[in-house]
Amino acid sequence: MIGSNVAPTPATGVNASRTTAAAADAARIEIVGLTKRFLTPKGESFTAIRDVTLTVEPGQFCAIVGPTGCGKSTTLAQVSGLDKPSGGSVQVGGHIVDGITAGVSYMFQADSLFPWKTVLQNVMTGPVLLGTPKKEAAALANDWLRRVGLTGFGDRYPHQLSGGMRKRVAMAAALINKPRILLMDEPFGALDVQTKAIMQTELLNLWEESRPSVLFITHDLDEAVALADRVVIMTSSPGTVKNIFDVDLPRPRGDVQEIRHQERFQAIQSRIWDSLRDEVTRAYKRSAEAAA
Ligand SMILES: Nc1ncnc2c1ncn2[C@@H]1O[C@H](COP(=O)(O)OP(=O)(O)OP(=O)(O)O)[C@@H](O)[C@H]1O
Ligand SMILES: [Mg+2]
C-alpha cells in the first residue's frame, strides 16, 4: 500500500540499484540522424549539420572537434533545447528534448555572466531560480567560489575580473546546480595558453567529483584528447560525424600540462589528427575559394 506511513526505502539492495540505474540513464544523450537547415538571407535552404548520430553515455566526457563552421555550435544548440532540429532527434534521459531541460547546464564560448550582478549573485542565480532561499543560495555560492579559487571576490563585478577568473565564475555557475549533463561550447577558447591549461585541470578535478555527462566542443585537438573519454571528429560543412575515437588515458588525469608530454597522449593525438587534418584543409580551401 502506498501511503504516508510507508517507511522510506533504504538506499540498499534492488531498489538502490534501480535508482542508480535510473539516475544513470537520465544522464544519457542520444542524438539520432540530427539535421539542421537554416534559411539564408536570400531565402535559400542551407544545411548546417546532416544526419549526426552520436551517444554520450552517462558520466562520459565526450569532445566534438571539427573545422570552423562545420556545425558544432549548431549541434549543441539542438541538444540544449535552445533550437529545434529540422530532422532527426535528440533525447536526454530517454526523453525527446523539447525546450530547456532540467539538469542540463550550458557553458557558452562567450562570457555568459550577468554584467550587472556581482560574482556572488551570478553564481547563486541557478539555485535561486530553482527556489532555494537566498541565504542558503548565497552560502552555497560562497562555497563554490572557494572551490574555484575565488574566495573574497564575491562582491566584484565581472568587468573587474580577468578572463580566467570570469571563466571560473562561469564554471561555478554551471556546476552549482549539480547538473547531470554539462554542455560546453569552446569555454576556454579565448584564454591564453597557460590560463587555459590551468582551467582545463580545474574542470577535470571538478568533473571527477560528480561525473556529469559532458559534451565539450573545441577547435583544439590537444584539449579534446587531454580532457575526453571519446573524441568525435566532424566533417567540414555540412557537418556530420566522421570518426569517433576512444581515449583510454587513465583517470584521474591530473595536470593537463603534463599529460601532453606522455607518449601515449601523443600517439592518440596523432592518430586523431590524421582524421581531422583532411577536414580542416577542406574547410580552409572552401573559405579561400569563397573569398577569391
Ligand atoms: N541562425 C543561423 N542562421 C543561418 N545560418 C546559421 C545560423 N547559425 C549557424 N549558421 C550557419 O551554420 C553553419 C554552422 O555554424 P556553427 O556556428 O554551428 O559552426 P561551428 O562549427 O560552431 O563553427 P566555429 O568553430 O567557428 O564556432 C555556419 O555556416 C553558420 O553560418
Ligand atoms: Mg561554434
Side-chain angles (χ1 to χ4, degrees), residues 72-73 109 185-186:
K72 302 180 294 296
S73 297
Q109 179 170 8
D185 192 353
E186 305 206 41

Side-chain angles (χ1 to χ4, degrees), residues 23 28 54 66 82 151 227 232 241:
R28 179 176 286 110
L54 166 69
L82 289 173
T151 302
L227 300 181
V232 176
V241 174

Side-chain angles (χ1 to χ4, degrees), residues 3-10:
S4 56
N5 57 345
V6 175
T9 311

Side-chain angles (χ1 to χ4, degrees), residues 183-198:
L183 307 176
M184 307 182 91
D185 192 353
E186 305 206 41
F188 310 137
L191 298 177
D192 65 86
V193 178
Q194 290 81 12
T195 311
K196 193 173 179 181
I198 292 169

Side-chain angles (χ1 to χ4, degrees), residues 33-66:
L34 185 65
T35 296
K36 179 69 187 179
R37 288 180 287 272
F38 293 110
L39 267 188
T40 64
K42 285 184 186 160
E44 291 158 356
S45 171
F46 170 77
T47 305
I49 53 171
R50 179 174 44 85
D51 202 18
V52 173
T53 295
L54 166 69
T55 299
V56 183
E57 294 297 340
Q60 194 173 57
F61 199 125
C62 178
I64 298 184
V65 187

Side-chain angles (χ1 to χ4, degrees), residues 11-277:
T12 53
V14 177
N15 283 327
S17 61
R18 267 196 214 130
T19 312
T20 316
D25 287 347
R28 179 176 286 110
I29 305 169
E30 283 177 290
I31 305 172
V32 180
L34 185 65
T35 296
K36 179 69 187 179
R37 288 180 287 272
F38 293 110
L39 267 188
T40 64
K42 285 184 186 160
E44 291 158 356
S45 171
F46 170 77
T47 305
I49 53 171
R50 179 174 44 85
D51 202 18
V52 173
T53 295
L54 166 69
T55 299
V56 183
E57 294 297 340
Q60 194 173 57
F61 199 125
C62 178
I64 298 184
V65 187
T68 179
C70 76
K72 302 180 294 296
S73 297
T74 302
T75 304
L76 212 61
Q78 319 306 307
V79 178
S80 70
L82 289 173
D83 202 357
K84 280 204 158 65
S86 313
S89 66
V90 180
Q91 291 196 28
V92 165
H95 300 283
I96 296 278
V97 170
D98 182 20
I100 307 294
T101 312
V104 178
S105 278
Y106 202 141
M107 204 172 150
F108 297 90
Q109 179 170 8
D111 275 344
S112 48
L113 302 176
F114 301 113
W116 64 90
K117 288 189 179 190
T118 64
V119 163
L120 184 72
Q121 287 164 346
N122 264 286
V123 178
M124 62 191 270
T125 298
V128 168
L129 286 177
L130 288 182
T132 309
K134 279 210 171 139
K135 219 171 158 188
E136 218 175 289
L140 195 60
N142 267 319
D143 187 48
W144 270 95
L145 288 178
R146 179 190 56 76
R147 286 181 178 197
V148 297
L150 287 177
T151 302
F153 287 90
D155 58 355
R156 300 263 190 117
Y157 285 88
H159 76 271
Q160 296 170 319
L161 303 178
S162 71
M165 288 160 103
R166 282 200 293 274
K167 286 293 168 196
R168 289 204 173 103
V169 178
M171 219 150 71
L175 290 168
I176 191 167
N177 279 340
K178 293 205 164 49
R180 55 200 156 95
I181 291 174
L182 188 55
L183 307 176
M184 307 182 91
D185 192 353
E186 305 206 41
F188 310 137
L191 298 177
D192 65 86
V193 178
Q194 290 81 12
T195 311
K196 193 173 179 181
I198 292 169
M199 293 303 301
Q200 290 164 346
T201 305
E202 288 186 4
L203 170 66
L204 278 188
N205 290 338
L206 291 169
W207 174 75
E208 288 285 352
E209 288 178 19
S210 56
R211 289 265 184 151
S213 315
V214 180
L215 199 50
F216 185 102
I217 282 173
T218 178
H219 278 110
D220 179 347
L221 182 55
D222 278 14
E223 177 172 59
V225 176
L227 300 181
D229 300 308
R230 297 181 97 190
V231 175
V232 176
I233 299 297
M234 278 182 87
T235 63
S236 56
S237 181
T240 193
V241 174
K242 181 181 186 189
N243 290 121
I244 299 180
F245 296 88
D246 286 323
V247 179
D248 56 358
L249 296 169
R251 292 199 187 272
R253 299 228 171 127
D255 189 334
V256 165
Q257 290 273 46
E258 283 165 26
I259 304 171
R260 288 175 193 186
H261 301 299
Q262 293 172 11
E263 250 175 61
R264 180 96 193 102
F265 174 94
Q266 286 162 8
I268 295 170
Q269 197 269 8
S270 106
R271 196 158 57 93
I272 305 179
W273 172 241
D274 284 342
S275 169
L276 177 61
R277 183 178 37 214

